[in-house]
Every structure is written in C-alpha cells, then in structure tokens.
Amino acid sequence: MSWQQYVDEHLMCEIEDQHLSSAAIVGHDGSIWAQSANFPQLKPEEAAAIMNDFNEPGSLAPTGLFLGGAKYMVIQGEAGVVIRGKKGPGGACVKKTNMALIIGIYEEPMTPGQCNMVVERLGDYLIEQGY
C-alpha cells in the first residue's frame, strides 16, 4: 500500500459519519510522504518544533502547535507519543511512529475523540509494521 493510500483510505475515511478535514504522513525530517489535497503547507520549523516536543515533552505548550501557520493550543496528549491541539471549533492530533508523524486536522462536528481514534489507530498499526 502506498503512503497516499494510507492517507486516502485510513485517515480521510468516514467514522460515525464524520471525517478529518485534512491529514498527512510526514517524515521525522519534515518531508511530506503523503497528504490530503487541502493539507496546509507544513513549514520545516513547524516539523522541527513537533519533533522537539516529542523529544522534550511540553516544549510546545508555551508557544503552541503550528501547522501551516495556524496556531493550535496544546492540550493533553501522551508525552513522547501524541500531541493534541485545539483551535476554535476544531483541532489536530499528531502521532509519532518510528519513522513518521501522522497528522490529522478536524473541524466540528467531528469530535476530538474521533480525530484521535483515526490518527492514533493508523499510527499504532504503522508502529506494529516497523514504520
């Protein structure tokens, strides 16, 4: 399966009649492996800040999580594993695997829990596969 298929079929899929507004699989170096058509342009410094937070949990909390220039307030996650952000009626979830970052962005009526389930389920699967 191609990385684009993972985005199209596993991240942009419907869950309880809802789906992510955009998603991407990004290498630890910030390179885009695959993304939905409307995923924001991730800046190198944004990817670096995300990776830094996985290595030093809590480092994004004071400044916020930035994805394509949009600022998300960092909310509870799992240190070194998942970063969750909130922005108005939507938010984002970032799951770290051995080689990549799985990023999902959502808007209401999708709930944070639905977004987390989609992103983290794929992330857990890729970790099991060695990615």
Side-chain angles (χ1 to χ4, degrees):
M1 184 177 287
S2 74
W3 293 115
Q4 191 61 51
Q5 283 178 291
Y6 280 115
V7 169
D8 297 342
E9 297 172 18
H10 296 278
L11 291 175
M12 298 305 291
C13 64
E14 279 199 18
I15 178 169
E16 299 168 12
D17 297 325
Q18 304 301 324
H19 57 83
L20 296 172
S21 52
S22 62
I25 300 175
V26 180
H28 286 182
D29 62 356
S31 61
I32 303 294
W33 293 7
Q35 64 184 14
S36 62
N38 57 347
F39 189 79
Q41 182 69 45
L42 190 67
K43 299 175 183 166
E45 61 271 20
E46 294 171 342
I50 291 168
M51 284 304 297
N52 186 56
D53 191 80
F54 282 120
N55 297 326
E56 298 174 30
S59 64
L60 279 179
T63 58
L65 166 66
F66 284 86
L67 298 171
K71 182 179 181 179
Y72 295 80
M73 180 177 64
V74 177
I75 55 176
Q76 107 291 344
E78 296 172 50
V81 180
V82 177
I83 300 168
R84 297 185 183 110
K86 185 86 176 122
K87 177 178 174 271
C93 178
V94 183
K95 168 84 175 184
K96 181 181 180 220
T97 72
N98 301 328
M99 300 168 65
L101 302 172
I102 314 302
I103 304 173
I105 298 174
Y106 71 94
E107 297 293 335
E108 282 185 339
M110 184 176 227
T111 66
Q114 290 169 325
C115 173
N116 298 344
M117 188 180 347
V118 169
V119 172
E120 293 175 37
R121 185 172 51 196
L122 178 60
D124 290 341
Y125 171 78
L126 292 175
I127 290 169
E128 289 171 14
Q129 302 303 308
Y131 295 109

